[in-house]
């Protein structure tokens, strides 16, 4: 990792962008929903920092969606951060980011997730250790290849200016990260995932984080518009709720952000706002062969979409 001084001006520029990103995403999704509004809940963290959580519930398209901004800091790194990076022991830290999950009413509108973040670890008399991370991924109940190709084309287009192999590398990282080992399946159709990004230097790394953050609505909003009026029955709804169970399993068993938030004393309601408002489990369930529900499972391994 580069050992460079991160200035207050750079920190504030990242924070200003993240706050504006939260505004823009909420405005776009609220307009696409056509009925619901995001309600803001500002909070403070006892150990340092705070954030603003925005939640839209019971909309015409979005059953529940949360878009959270946080900027937290402290004197001791959580175990989830130091386990893989022992050089961070004994350093103060700052972490800021925007994280969101959208759970739609309609089973034909996919769930979506996005996150962008900036992390700084500091120790008196030593240069800063810092990095950017983030990404976005799509989790449909019923797969439309047109939607999957659009989602990944947006991802590839935003990556291409940063290098020929950036999309393929971060797409593969996403497929690997969002994999439920105990189910032997991906959480959905993937997208992008990156972490520990600092090798390009601050300016280019920050520029890439912004490209990912801005690319999320370009990727998701057209899919929402295309599928939100599709008719469905209780059968599709039941399968949607069953598949949401996989989302819960991943978030509680594997998700680094959830572990970091809980271990760092973050606000529990904001950390767990990614959970669906309703989900179900059914013992030893397998959809009947040849049904639309069974089709999903052929896509729950990495696929090259573009």
């Amino acid at each position: 990792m580069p050992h460079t001084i991160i200035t207050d001006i750079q920190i504030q520029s990242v924070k200003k962008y993240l706050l504006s990103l939260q505004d823009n995403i909420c405005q776009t999704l609220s307009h696409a929903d056509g009925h619901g509004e995001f309600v803001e809940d500002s909070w403070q963290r006892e150990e340092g920092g705070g954030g603003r959580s925005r939640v839209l519930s019971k909309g015409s398209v979005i059953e529940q969606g949360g878009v959270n901004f946080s900027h937290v800091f402290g004197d001791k790194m959580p175990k989830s951060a130091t386990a893989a990076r022992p050089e961070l022991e004994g350093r103060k830290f700052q972490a800021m980011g925007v994280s969101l999950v959208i759970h739609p009413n309609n089973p034909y509108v996919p769930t979506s997730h996005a996150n962008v973040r900036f992390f700084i670890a500091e120790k008196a008399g030593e240069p800063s250790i810092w990095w950017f991370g983030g990404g976005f991924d799509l989790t449909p109940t019923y797969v439309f290849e047109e939607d999957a190709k659009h989602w990944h084309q947006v991802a590839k287009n935003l990556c291409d200016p940063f290098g020929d192999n950036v999309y393929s590398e971060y797409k593969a990282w996403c497929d690997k990260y969002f994999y439920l080992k105990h189910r032997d399946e991906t959480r959905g159709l993937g997208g992008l995932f990156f972490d520990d990004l600092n090798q390009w230097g601050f300016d280019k790394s920050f520029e890439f984080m912004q490209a990912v953050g801005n690319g999320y609505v370009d990727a998701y909003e057209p899919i929402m518009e295309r599928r939100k009026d599709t008719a469905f029955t209780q059968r599709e709804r039941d399968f949607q709720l069953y598949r949401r169970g996989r989302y819960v399993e991943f978030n509680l068993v594997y998700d680094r952000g959830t572990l970091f938030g809980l271990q760092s004393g973050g606000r529990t309601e904001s950390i767990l706002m990614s959970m669906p408002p309703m989900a179900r489990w059914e013992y030893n369930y397998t959809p009947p062969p040849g049904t639309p529900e069974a089709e999903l499972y052929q896509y729950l391994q990495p696929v090259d979409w573009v």
Side-chain angles (χ1 to χ4, degrees):
M1 293 183 178
H3 290 249
T4 55
I5 299 297
I6 296 295
T7 68
D8 286 339
I9 292 176
Q10 289 171 316
I11 293 171
Q12 290 305 313
S13 67
V14 176
K15 185 172 183 176
K16 181 179 179 181
Y17 166 71
L18 292 170
L19 289 167
S20 68
L21 177 67
Q22 185 190 34
D23 289 341
N24 293 338
I25 290 174
C26 289
Q27 289 168 8
T28 300
L29 295 182
S30 179
H31 181 266
D33 182 89
H35 174 74
E37 295 289 339
F38 283 92
V39 176
E40 182 171 300
D41 183 13
S42 296
W43 51 275
Q44 297 296 316
R45 177 174 171 271
E46 186 174 335
E47 294 86 349
R52 59 186 198 188
S53 298
R54 292 179 179 172
V55 176
L56 189 160
S57 298
K58 300 177 181 178
S60 61
V61 181
I62 299 170
E63 184 173 4
Q64 184 166 293
V67 184
N68 189 42
F69 165 81
S70 63
H71 179 197
V72 300
F73 41 89
D75 293 331
K76 184 179 180 183
M77 302 282 288
K79 291 181 181 179
S80 61
T82 59
R85 303 181 182 94
E87 74 274 14
L88 300 180
E89 285 278 5
R91 287 179 174 261
K92 297 181 178 181
F93 75 92
Q94 291 190 61
M96 65 177 75
V98 167
S99 181
L100 67 97
V101 177
I102 304 299
H103 293 290
N105 289 302
N106 193 317
Y108 290 104
V109 180
T111 290
S112 67
H113 159 261
N115 171 272
V116 286
R117 57 192 177 272
F118 181 47
F119 205 101
I120 315 161
E122 298 173 301
K123 193 172 185 178
E126 297 186 19
S128 305
I129 297 176
W130 60 270
W131 65 90
F132 289 94
F136 52 64
D137 66 287
L138 194 70
T139 308
T141 304
Y142 296 91
V143 176
F144 294 89
E145 293 193 358
E146 174 189 8
D147 296 347
K149 290 176 180 177
H150 162 78
W151 179 264
H152 280 272
Q153 191 63 59
V154 172
K156 185 176 186 303
N157 290 348
L158 72 87
C159 287
D160 283 350
F162 295 87
D164 294 340
N165 298 319
V166 173
Y167 167 74
S168 59
E169 178 182 347
Y170 292 163
K171 190 266 187 192
W173 199 345
C174 186
D175 289 334
K176 183 178 180 181
Y177 179 73
F178 290 106
Y179 199 83
L180 286 83
K181 301 178 185 67
H182 64 286
R183 296 289 191 179
D184 194 25
E185 62 187 41
T186 56
R187 187 169 80 172
L189 305 186
L192 299 173
F193 181 88
F194 69 101
D195 206 1
D196 306 321
L197 179 64
N198 51 32
Q199 64 269 25
W200 295 337
F202 177 85
D203 290 342
K204 185 177 178 181
S205 300
F206 180 28
E207 185 182 348
F208 181 73
M209 187 198 79
Q210 293 176 78
V212 173
N214 297 340
Y216 163 75
V217 290
D218 295 336
Y220 188 56
E221 194 264 348
I223 296 173
M224 178 188 288
E225 290 286 352
R226 191 180 297 142
R227 306 299 168 196
K228 67 181 183 181
D229 296 321
T230 304
F232 66 92
T233 68
Q234 189 63 41
R235 168 179 159 171
E236 288 100 325
R237 174 65 169 169
D238 287 345
F239 187 57
Q240 176 196 44
L241 297 182
Y242 173 75
R243 291 301 307 176
R244 280 181 178 177
R246 298 291 206 271
Y247 215 90
V248 174
E249 291 173 20
F250 181 87
N251 281 15
L252 294 182
V253 176
Y254 298 115
D255 188 73
R256 282 191 219 163
T258 301
L259 293 174
F260 175 83
L262 295 174
Q263 290 179 4
S264 63
R267 182 173 183 261
T268 302
E269 286 299 311
S270 298
I271 296 164
L272 297 182
M273 74 175 187
S274 61
M275 296 300 180
M278 296 180 66
R280 61 184 285 269
W281 283 260
E282 184 173 335
Y283 178 72
N284 204 26
Y285 169 75
T286 302
T291 62
E293 290 72 27
E295 290 179 7
L296 171 67
Y297 292 81
Q298 67 181 297
Y299 296 104
L300 297 182
Q301 299 295 326
V303 176
D304 291 328
W305 291 105
V306 296

